[in-house]
Amino acid sequence: MVRPKPALRATASITTAAVLLAGAALGAAPAATAAPAAPAAPASTTAGGLTFHDIPGSGGITLKGNVFTPAGAAAGTKHPLIVFPTSWAMPQIEYLAQAQKLADSGYVVVSYTSRGFWLSGGEIEVAGPPDIADASAVIDWALEHTSADPDRIGMGGVSYGAGISLLAAGHDPRVKAVAALSGWADLIDSIYSGRTQHLQAAALLGGAGLVTGRPSDELTRTLKDFLGSKLEKEPEMIAWGKKRSPATYLDAINANGAAVMMGNAWGDTIFPPNQYASFYDKLTGPKRLEFRPGDHATAELTGLFGLPNDTWTNTRRWFDRYLKGERNGIDTEQPVQLKSRTDKGYEGYPDWKSVGAAQNRIPLDGTKKVWANVDSGANGGITLLSNALDQFLKLPPVVSVPLLPRTFASVWQSERYGTEQRVRGTSRLHTTVTSTKPSGTFVAYLYDVGPLGVGKLVSNAPYTFHGQTPGRPFPVDLELYSTAYDVPAGHRLALVIDTVDPLYIEHNPTGAQLTFSSPGTDPSHLSVPLREK
């Protein structure tokens, strides 16, 4: 990895500082020191069956947790158990609204602050082995101290809680159902896709961890190497990420047989949807995949406040089916459920490969050259903000395609479409690149271009290379982030490629130039998946 330029280091610092200020504005307390294991008795009790507890975690630490129990249950009655690990940087009260709803319908619900955050003991291990062991320890505790049924145990959560839940399903066969919302299956393919560091995502997570918890030495070192672009550390960082990826334990998850529901947003800038879809394809047990508009965790956000929310409604239905055995129909629906970014309705598919079964192949003819290190104006927006604006206000990042400087951006456009084009799934770029330097980065953007030339961002993805011979062409295949977007009749699609985007760390040496060509023996093209009529 080429070391970031001063401007990049400044961008990372500004992003991290913004995260720290945001945490302070939200009233984040200073991180607590690790506490010794405490007795399992409740510290306090409130109305509605809610109790707060010190729960022994793995390695002798204490996890701060709470328990909701069904009201009016007869003594000795066993209830299905749901365990919610908290999201990154969130305290144990995160799931109170949903936990209450689940308890009202007959569940014991245990939520706990993940280790290293707030008042829970230990250090932040990023869903490492201690976090997986904590999940099992919480289940042990719940079976001993609540009316939980050992044969009906589920886990779930948002973001960090989703990842830990999926990992636990591969390590603890007692977990029979999982609802993993806005999580990850492959950590490397999430924040290092295209061999490119996702700068804003990593800085956001790192900054939030500093505000609300105690990062482990391993995390601090890994994040420093990652943001510092230390190429010699790349194998170690990849191994670190694989250990924390549910995809690594796919065989065990399938062998244990948990029913897995996964939900994510099309514009998730921390855990992009592609890695979830790939993982879903390989699951062999009962499964469901839901994609909606939005950014990281925005699809679930209103439900955390107790407001009506489709994601949480289906989460409860999923647990009811696979922990209570209720015949509520969720298992007979099409297992892949998508909502387009430009439409309010849901579409069902029998599997992921059926999404975007038709293909629109856009030729990328000619030879185009761009100078690196200058932002053309095309970019993927700001993490958490831009795709939330798209979700709620239908305002994705935009650019004037005719005004993009061709010195710094290569542009190809389709013909003007006579009918609506319903983009569904993963667009794939194939091209030939020649660089004047051994290393480099480019970012591909797909735009919906209206009659006035204004392009609305449909998708994007970065690509980084190292060790190439200057002047020698090499082929590139790049998957753009999966999406569902309806291009109106009369519009066209445009592919734009430039070399700088604030979302990512770029690796273009000073004076680098990239050439994109289309050899006759290996034509360049963009394959856009479309919903069949």
Side-chain angles (χ1 to χ4, degrees):
M1 300 178 189
V2 178
R3 293 192 180 276
K5 302 173 180 61
L8 271 176
R9 292 196 292 268
T11 302
S13 299
I14 291 169
T15 305
T16 303
V19 173
L20 295 174
L21 289 172
L26 291 171
T33 57
S44 61
T45 305
T46 66
L50 169 62
T51 56
F52 292 89
H53 300 261
D54 289 339
I55 302 175
S58 65
I61 71 161
T62 296
L63 301 169
K64 294 295 181 176
N66 60 69
V67 177
F68 276 91
T69 54
T77 302
K78 292 293 184 182
H79 301 90
L81 168 68
I82 296 175
V83 175
F84 284 137
T86 57
S87 301
W88 185 271
M90 292 295 288
Q92 59 166 300
I93 60 172
E94 176 183 10
Y95 301 109
L96 289 187
Q98 292 302 322
Q100 180 67 72
K101 292 177 183 290
L102 286 163
D104 288 345
S105 65
Y107 291 92
V108 171
V109 185
V110 180
S111 177
Y112 67 93
T113 303
S114 300
R115 69 163 51 221
F117 289 104
W118 296 90
L119 297 178
S120 280
E123 297 177 329
I124 302 172
E125 302 287 350
V126 196
D131 290 292
I132 301 170
D134 283 344
S136 292
V138 171
I139 292 173
D140 292 340
W141 179 90
L143 293 177
E144 182 178 353
H145 294 92
T146 74
S147 59
D149 186 341
D151 296 321
R152 295 184 292 167
I153 298 172
M155 287 193 66
V158 176
S159 186
Y160 198 45
I164 292 174
S165 296
L166 280 175
L167 287 162
H171 290 79
D172 193 328
R174 296 175 296 180
V175 177
K176 304 300 183 186
V178 171
L181 313 177
S182 289
W184 75 94
D186 188 325
L187 190 58
I188 296 301
D189 200 31
S190 294
I191 61 173
Y192 194 47
S193 67
R195 208 180 178 187
T196 308
Q197 302 104 308
H198 294 210
L199 171 62
Q200 290 185 18
L204 177 69
L205 294 173
L210 285 172
V211 169
T212 61
R214 301 167 300 283
S216 66
D217 290 342
E218 184 181 29
L219 170 57
T220 300
R221 182 176 63 255
T222 301
L223 191 60
K224 181 179 179 180
D225 292 342
F226 183 78
L227 294 176
S229 299
K230 293 185 178 180
L231 185 60
E232 69 276 12
K233 296 289 186 179
E234 185 181 48
E236 294 178 30
M237 289 186 281
I238 290 176
W240 178 87
K242 292 298 183 185
K243 184 185 292 186
R244 290 158 171 80
S245 297
T248 301
Y249 311 101
L250 175 68
D251 290 344
I253 293 172
N254 284 334
N256 288 344
V260 177
M261 171 182 158
M262 304 163 64
N264 203 355
W266 293 120
D268 195 320
T269 47
I270 296 180
F271 303 129
N274 302 44
Q275 46 92 31
Y276 242 25
S278 176
F279 180 75
Y280 169 85
D281 263 350
K282 300 178 180 68
L283 291 171
T284 58
K287 58 183 179 178
R288 182 179 177 92
L289 180 66
E290 300 182 355
F291 282 135
R292 298 175 175 84
D295 206 310
H296 184 64
T298 62
E300 300 85 24
L301 184 61
T302 56
L304 293 176
F305 294 101
L307 300 174
N309 182 279
D310 291 348
T311 304
W312 285 105
T313 296
N314 287 340
T315 293
R316 292 194 295 274
R317 293 175 65 215
W318 190 254
F319 285 138
D320 287 347
R321 175 66 188 92
Y322 290 103
L323 295 182
K324 289 184 177 179
E326 293 183 1
R327 297 290 179 178
N328 55 19
I330 196 167
D331 56 327
T332 62
E333 297 170 358
Q334 298 275 38
V336 176
Q337 294 286 323
L338 312 181
K339 180 183 281 190
S340 169
R341 290 163 48 201
T342 47
D343 185 76
K344 294 183 179 180
Y346 283 93
E347 303 168 359
Y349 298 84
D351 47 42
W352 178 249
K353 68 182 179 182
S354 299
V355 177
Q359 297 289 320
N360 175 22
R361 186 165 169 144
I362 301 173
L364 307 178
D365 297 329
T367 298
K368 301 181 186 294
K369 298 181 179 182
V370 297
W371 289 98
N373 304 314
V374 176
D375 192 339
S376 70
N379 66 71
I382 300 172
T383 191
L384 296 185
L385 175 61
S386 297
N387 291 317
L389 291 175
D390 182 35
Q391 175 186 359
F392 296 110
L393 301 177
K394 299 293 186 290
L395 294 175
V398 298
V399 70
S400 174
V401 174
L403 296 181
L404 286 171
R406 278 12 183 209
T407 304
F408 307 115
S410 294
V411 180
W412 297 265
Q413 296 193 71
S414 72
E415 76 281 1
R416 204 177 298 278
Y417 295 112
T419 59
E420 181 183 62
Q421 304 293 297
R422 293 182 289 181
V423 179
R424 298 291 186 273
T426 309
S427 296
R428 292 174 170 84
L429 167 66
H430 175 75
T431 189
T432 295
V433 179
T434 306
S435 175
T436 59
K437 304 291 183 179
S439 296
T441 297
F442 67 84
V443 184
Y445 308 89
L446 182 62
Y447 285 102
D448 159 25
V449 184
L452 298 180
V454 175
K456 296 182 178 180
L457 186 65
V458 177
S459 184
N460 77 100
Y463 184 89
T464 293
F465 57 88
H466 297 290
Q468 293 294 335
T469 301
R472 177 179 296 175
F474 59 94
V476 168
D477 289 287
L478 175 64
E479 287 190 352
L480 276 62
Y481 300 138
S482 302
T483 194
Y485 184 98
D486 301 314
V487 180
H491 287 213
R492 65 179 79 213
L493 287 170
L495 177 73
V496 176
I497 297 179
D498 74 0
T499 63
V500 176
D501 190 311
L503 284 173
Y504 312 111
I505 290 180
E506 49 94 359
H507 301 266
N508 295 299
T510 302
Q513 187 180 47
L514 301 180
T515 299
F516 300 91
S517 59
S518 182
T521 56
D522 187 21
S524 295
H525 63 272
L526 179 71
S527 182
V528 180
L530 301 176
R531 183 183 178 189
E532 292 184 320
K533 306 298 184 183

